[in-house]
Amino acid sequence: MKTLYTAHGSATGGREGQAATDTGNVKLVLNTPKELGGGGGEGTNPEQLFAMGYSACFLGALSSSPARRR
């Protein structure tokens, strides 16, 4: 199968660190939510990032389905 696109990102410091894309258009502070034993804070967490990515891909798949093209 031919690779169409490859994305790159990195994180340092784990759940209390920082994450960024190689292009520099996304730079985030990471904090563990209080509900998971962390201190909370102003940052985001990996679960939120996963939820955003998954929902964007899911909506993209729905918009390209044959039923939506009618």
Side-chain angles (χ1 to χ4, degrees), residues 22-44:
D22 63 335
T23 58
N25 59 339
V26 177
K27 294 180 182 179
L28 301 168
V29 172
L30 302 173
N31 291 123
T32 303
K34 289 182 181 181
E35 296 85 354
L36 296 178
E42 298 287 322
T44 191

Side-chain angles (χ1 to χ4, degrees), residues 1-69:
M1 179 181 280
K2 179 181 174 186
T3 301
L4 299 178
Y5 177 76
T6 302
H8 298 274
S10 63
T12 58
R15 296 183 65 89
E16 297 296 327
Q18 301 162 1
T21 58
D22 63 335
T23 58
N25 59 339
V26 177
K27 294 180 182 179
L28 301 168
V29 172
L30 302 173
N31 291 123
T32 303
K34 289 182 181 181
E35 296 85 354
L36 296 178
E42 298 287 322
T44 191
N45 61 67
E47 291 80 11
Q48 291 170 319
L49 298 172
F50 179 80
M52 289 185 293
Y54 187 90
S55 63
C57 289
F58 185 77
L59 290 172
L62 287 178
S63 68
S64 67
S65 73
R68 298 274 295 172
R69 293 184 198 167

